[in-house]
Amino acid sequence: MTDCHSTAVAGCHGSATQQAAQEDSCGASCGPARGRPDWFLWTCLAGVVLAYGWGVLMVGAADDGAVAQFTGGVVELMNRMWWGLAIGVIFVGILGTVPRDLVMALLGRQAGLGGMFRATLAGVLLDLCSHGILAVGMRLYERGASVGQVMAFLLASPWNSLSLTLILIALIGLGWTLLFIGLSLVIGITTGLLFDAFVRRGTLPQNPHRDLDGEAVPLRQQLRDYRRSLQPSVAGAGRLLVDGVRGSKVVIRWALFGLLLAAAIRGLVPADIYGNWFGASVVGLWLTLAAATIIEVCSEGATPIAADLLNRANAPGNAFTFLMAGVSTDYTEIMSIKDTSGSWRLALFLPLLTVPQVMILGYLLNQFA
């Protein structure tokens, strides 16, 4: 499973190194070229509006066919998701005011557990599309972050953004969401430490930018400048909301697509078959891993599907695996790492180190949930 629309790779990402050097702002768009209608967004929005309207009109009807299951699923999921999307828009607008250099300075360049924690935390707090995350991650590599920090940052980022966290809370509840986030942070930190250990042993290449000097502008000064730049006003709040809507397009478009896809699965796949195929079993877990690797859906679109794996198939481990394995096996991410570092070994170690952790945790979640 890739984490952003694959056709955006050439246009929105291009060369990972070039995008990083240009301080890519893909997080605000990651869609069609400026000035062109976002047909994908409008098509998904129209589909949701029509299905939702039909589902509301058919409430209480005796029809239990595929169409009724589909429209009913859209109504149910949308009623649970809308507030997360709305609050996510506000968070995106706020985070959009934070300079990227400040984020990199907060991340730091020191190795060890502290550096890994800061890297994963930065990944969780950033609200960017997956190609924007890749651009920032590759830029961190060029700014001298350790290999482990870069990997921890990438693993923590794609579905752990604040807006998607709110959507996930709406769909599966606060408890499961916090558990999933905690386990993903464990994977990010553990994987980062393993990467740095392999670098020290010489198994993986060192980041050649590690010998660079520190940040050109001290962190304390950057924080002071950022605080001074904040001037609360009604007009500023309006701009923040507009920027939040623009910056959230990638989340909204893929969340709507994922909602339609999850509702379509409800309509086409009976609950008993769905539970048998993707239930809390070893076979179901492996099928989920295969689906997460193959299905072409963004991390935003994966969230409703993962919620259905937990709610309908009663398989929390499969839901966690679907979210995390998509990040671990994303070919765009792997190719970006290879392009920036020049090392196939470094790129391929990402799924090699992460997939076993994901599968073990997924199995344990299914057993003890």
Side-chain angles (χ1 to χ4, degrees), residues 77-153:
L77 290 172
M78 195 64 204
N79 285 344
R80 295 165 66 180
M81 283 175 57
W82 71 267
W83 66 270
L85 284 171
I87 299 177
V89 167
I90 298 174
F91 274 118
V92 169
I94 294 173
L95 291 171
T97 65
V98 181
R100 188 166 297 177
D101 280 345
L102 175 56
V103 174
M104 295 183 198
L106 288 169
L107 180 66
R109 295 174 58 237
Q110 74 271 26
L113 185 60
M116 295 308 155
F117 181 77
R118 292 173 68 177
T120 52
L121 185 61
V124 171
L125 293 178
L126 277 183
D127 247 297
L128 296 173
C129 84
S130 300
H131 286 100
I133 285 293
L134 284 175
V136 175
M138 298 308 100
R139 180 60 168 163
L140 291 173
Y141 182 86
E142 294 186 340
R143 291 293 289 269
S146 73
V147 171
Q149 281 182 295
V150 174
M151 300 303 173
F153 175 82

Side-chain angles (χ1 to χ4, degrees), residues 156-212:
S157 318
W159 65 269
N160 268 349
S161 64
L162 287 176
S163 53
L164 287 184
T165 296
L166 292 169
I167 295 174
L168 204 58
I169 292 172
L171 291 174
I172 66 175
L174 179 62
W176 282 116
T177 301
L178 292 178
L179 180 59
F180 282 9
I181 290 176
L183 293 177
S184 68
L185 293 179
V186 169
I187 291 177
I189 293 173
T190 302
T191 303
L193 293 173
L194 288 173
F195 263 97
D196 280 350
F198 281 117
V199 168
R200 288 193 298 270
R201 291 178 56 183
T203 306
L204 295 176
Q206 172 68 275
N207 182 354
H209 304 284
R210 289 289 288 169
D211 58 350
L212 295 177

Side-chain angles (χ1 to χ4, degrees), residues 205-236:
Q206 172 68 275
N207 182 354
H209 304 284
R210 289 289 288 169
D211 58 350
L212 295 177
D213 293 333
E215 299 292 334
V217 180
L219 173 59
R220 183 173 299 179
Q221 181 177 337
Q222 291 195 48
L223 289 171
R224 184 166 55 249
D225 293 341
Y226 175 64
R227 286 196 300 269
R228 290 174 178 173
S229 70
L230 298 177
Q231 298 178 350
S233 65
V234 175

Side-chain angles (χ1 to χ4, degrees), residues 343-366:
S343 171
W344 272 110
R345 183 180 298 180
L346 199 65
L348 294 177
F349 258 65
L350 178 64
L352 180 65
L353 294 179
T354 54
V355 170
Q357 297 180 70
V358 171
M359 294 296 285
I360 291 172
L361 289 176
Y363 176 79
L364 293 176
L365 281 172
N366 282 340

